[in-house]
Amino acid sequence: VPGAMAAERALAVATCTAPVNIAVIKYWGKRDTDLILPINSSLSVTLHQDQLKTTTTAAASRDFTEDRLWLNGAEADVGHPRVQACLREVRRLARKRRGGSEDAATLGLLSYKVHIASENNFPTAAGLASSAAGYACLVSALARLYGVEDELSEVARRGSGSACRSMWGGFVQWQRGERPDGTDSLAHQVAPETHWPELRVLVLVVSEQKKPVASTAGMQTSVETSPLLKHRAEVVVPERLAQMMRHIRERDFEGFGQLAMRDSNQFHATCLDTFPPIFYLNDLSRHIIALAHRYNAHHGHIKVAYTFDAGPNAVIFALADTVDEFVEVVRRSFPPATNGDQFIRGLPVSSAALPQELVAAVVTEPVPGAIQYILHTKPGPGPQLVDDPSQHLLGADGLPRRRA
Ligand code: DP6
């Protein structure tokens, strides 16, 4: 059909994937809520996209009559201020780069409306932080669409603070920056994902997910009311960042793990110090924390480290040679309710026989059914371009493809 051919030719399209990241030195608090400038620097580990990723397709066509956005197949509000900030900033970079008239194709593209479709390869209901991967992916796909090759963490930051760290793989620092305009508030890679091949990550997805206080609102109340947060940002974090960089450089798991746990605990202490207080940790979180400490005490050194964000899922760091045993400890402590075969997902885990003394010392108070499943993953790379056109989430008509 000649008409369809013409429409197809007029469609410019790009697809990217982007990862989730988990902070080991937490970001909590903004000094500028509009530009999303943090009160302290932070440091995270980018998780592997084989287990957790967002895929986003961005398309532009002169046939589109309005900007449109679909999230996991359902149409969403493209007018959301943070989506608009990302769109505006990528387009600004595209204009700047083209320097006016020399590339008519891009200038044409910039005048067209866009369609954007985004999907996660993990259930959104699992409460796994998806906004970081989502905005990193949005910015990556738009940049591809418009041929922008600039530093993009500054743009992703405008979507969600933690999203700027998902623009890189491996170990990533988001530098708070000093300038009021945010041009030095950027993420950069501290070490690539290949730096620490033995490092593993277990996401313990909890069964009861209450809707927590959104981090954007919660952290602003903390900035306004918590003296502990002020002390943390000014004194504690600068020291910890330097220490954490050293532990990562030296692949010192004990140093890394202890500091990750302490920093998670301090973040949650600032939440309790917020007025009115915010509770992200619950009884189950405290069970998992106590379990990790009993396990480490039994072994006489730090073999697993937990960290919790603004929700109930626990993220555990361990070295590869600890995973089988610790997963069995978790399975015994939180016996799966129904789908026992689906309890462990992601990278393979072998069964382990637990020594009786270990069980006696560590598995003290089993809570059946409390953990839905364990996702086994590891550090991974930053955003990727998807070359295969069959993977685009938008069809030749610019609308979401029917999902398999
Ligand atoms: C607890 O990046 O979600 O996960 O910038 O308002 O979008 P906004 O907040 P967001 O906050 C993340 C907070 C955290 C800690 C972290 O990831 O560093």
Side-chain angles (χ1 to χ4, degrees):
V1 188
M5 289 283 288
E8 208 160 340
R9 229 178 296 128
L11 186 80
V13 56
T15 299
C16 289
T17 64
V20 167
N21 73 77
I22 178 79
V24 290
I25 300 291
K26 304 291 186 192
Y27 149 56
W28 194 252
K30 299 179 183 69
R31 62 184 202 274
D32 184 317
T33 52
D34 178 40
L35 293 174
I36 309 195
L37 302 179
I39 58 171
N40 60 258
S41 299
S42 55
L43 206 159
S44 58
V45 179
T46 296
L47 304 188
H48 205 287
Q49 294 175 54
D50 282 354
Q51 281 74 46
L52 297 168
K53 74 173 173 209
T54 299
T55 303
T56 301
T57 297
S61 166
R62 65 167 173 255
D63 298 335
F64 294 164
T65 53
E66 52 182 351
D67 291 339
R68 294 179 74 181
L69 171 69
W70 291 266
L71 300 179
N72 295 309
E75 186 144 20
D77 177 18
V78 75
H80 191 291
R82 289 176 167 203
V83 172
Q84 287 298 316
C86 290
L87 252 170
R88 191 175 60 240
E89 290 304 305
V90 177
R91 282 171 166 157
R92 191 175 58 78
L93 291 173
R95 284 205 183 82
K96 197 171 88 186
R97 198 175 100 89
R98 300 294 163 167
S101 59
E102 108 238 18
D103 188 333
T106 302
L107 284 178
L109 221 52
L110 281 164
S111 68
Y112 299 156
K113 302 292 183 194
V114 290
H115 285 188
I116 299 158
S118 190
E119 275 178 15
N120 298 327
N121 72 341
F122 51 92
T124 312
L128 299 164
S130 57
S131 74
Y135 281 107
C137 207
L138 171 69
V139 168
S140 301
L142 287 172
R144 262 293 163 166
L145 181 69
Y146 296 126
V148 172
E149 284 158 11
D150 303 50
E151 212 288 325
L152 291 164
S153 71
E154 192 187 342
V155 181
R157 193 198 73 224
R158 300 294 299 274
S160 183
S162 54
C164 73
R165 298 186 312 236
S166 277
M167 296 304 285
W168 297 96
F171 303 83
V172 183
Q173 188 187 358
W174 171 17
Q175 231 144 11
R176 80 184 280 287
E178 299 299 329
R179 295 188 207 132
D181 67 358
T183 49
D184 58 352
S185 190
L186 308 171
H188 65 263
Q189 190 177 63
V190 170
E193 62 277 15
T194 50
H195 169 71
W196 201 346
E198 303 81 21
L199 191 64
R200 293 291 180 275
V201 179
L202 298 167
V203 185
L204 310 190
V205 179
V206 314
S207 301
E208 311 257 312
Q209 308 263 5
K210 271 199 295 171
K211 184 100 187 127
V213 177
S215 34
T216 304
M219 70 172 75
Q220 226 30 50
T221 314
S222 299
V223 168
E224 285 154 18
T225 62
S226 170
L228 176 58
L229 181 61
K230 186 169 154 45
H231 173 70
R232 166 178 165 75
E234 286 171 3
V235 179
V236 181
V237 168
E239 287 169 10
R240 284 189 174 173
L241 263 174
Q243 285 168 14
M244 192 57 106
M245 303 266 260
R246 196 174 62 241
H247 296 320
I248 290 169
R249 195 170 55 239
E250 295 171 357
R251 291 184 283 266
D252 169 2
F253 185 78
E254 294 216 36
F256 171 86
Q258 176 167 146
L259 198 49
M261 290 188 279
R262 283 177 180 272
D263 204 68
S264 172
N265 293 342
Q266 187 174 74
F267 154 51
H268 292 281
T270 68
C271 291
L272 187 59
D273 193 44
T274 298
F275 197 81
I278 304 165
F279 307 103
Y280 291 123
L281 300 180
N282 58 20
D283 282 345
L284 177 57
S285 323
R286 284 184 283 273
H287 259 93
I288 294 167
I289 290 172
L291 176 71
H293 284 285
R294 284 199 301 273
Y295 183 77
N296 289 337
H298 176 78
H299 283 288
H301 63 276
I302 291 171
K303 289 185 52 101
V304 296
Y306 53 80
T307 184
F308 295 83
D309 281 339
N313 294 320
V315 176
I316 304 284
F317 290 99
L319 295 178
D321 61 7
T322 304
V323 165
D324 296 347
E325 184 182 80
F326 188 70
V327 163
E328 187 54 28
V329 165
V330 173
R331 197 209 300 268
R332 296 276 202 104
S333 303
F334 306 99
T338 44
N339 57 343
D341 52 332
Q342 283 262 62
F343 190 61
I344 297 156
R345 307 183 191 183
L347 296 173
V349 175
S350 303
S351 58
L354 302 182
Q356 200 37 58
E357 333 72 85
L358 173 66
V359 175
V362 178
V363 184
T364 55
E365 35 184 355
V367 188
I371 290 180
Q372 206 190 327
Y373 63 91
I374 303 175
L375 183 67
H376 182 200
T377 185
K378 62 181 185 179
Q384 307 280 313
L385 175 69
V386 178
D387 281 317
D388 177 2
S390 76
Q391 299 298 305
H392 292 320
L393 301 181
L394 296 168
D397 58 357
L399 295 174
R401 284 200 165 126
R402 221 172 275 283
R403 291 193 290 167

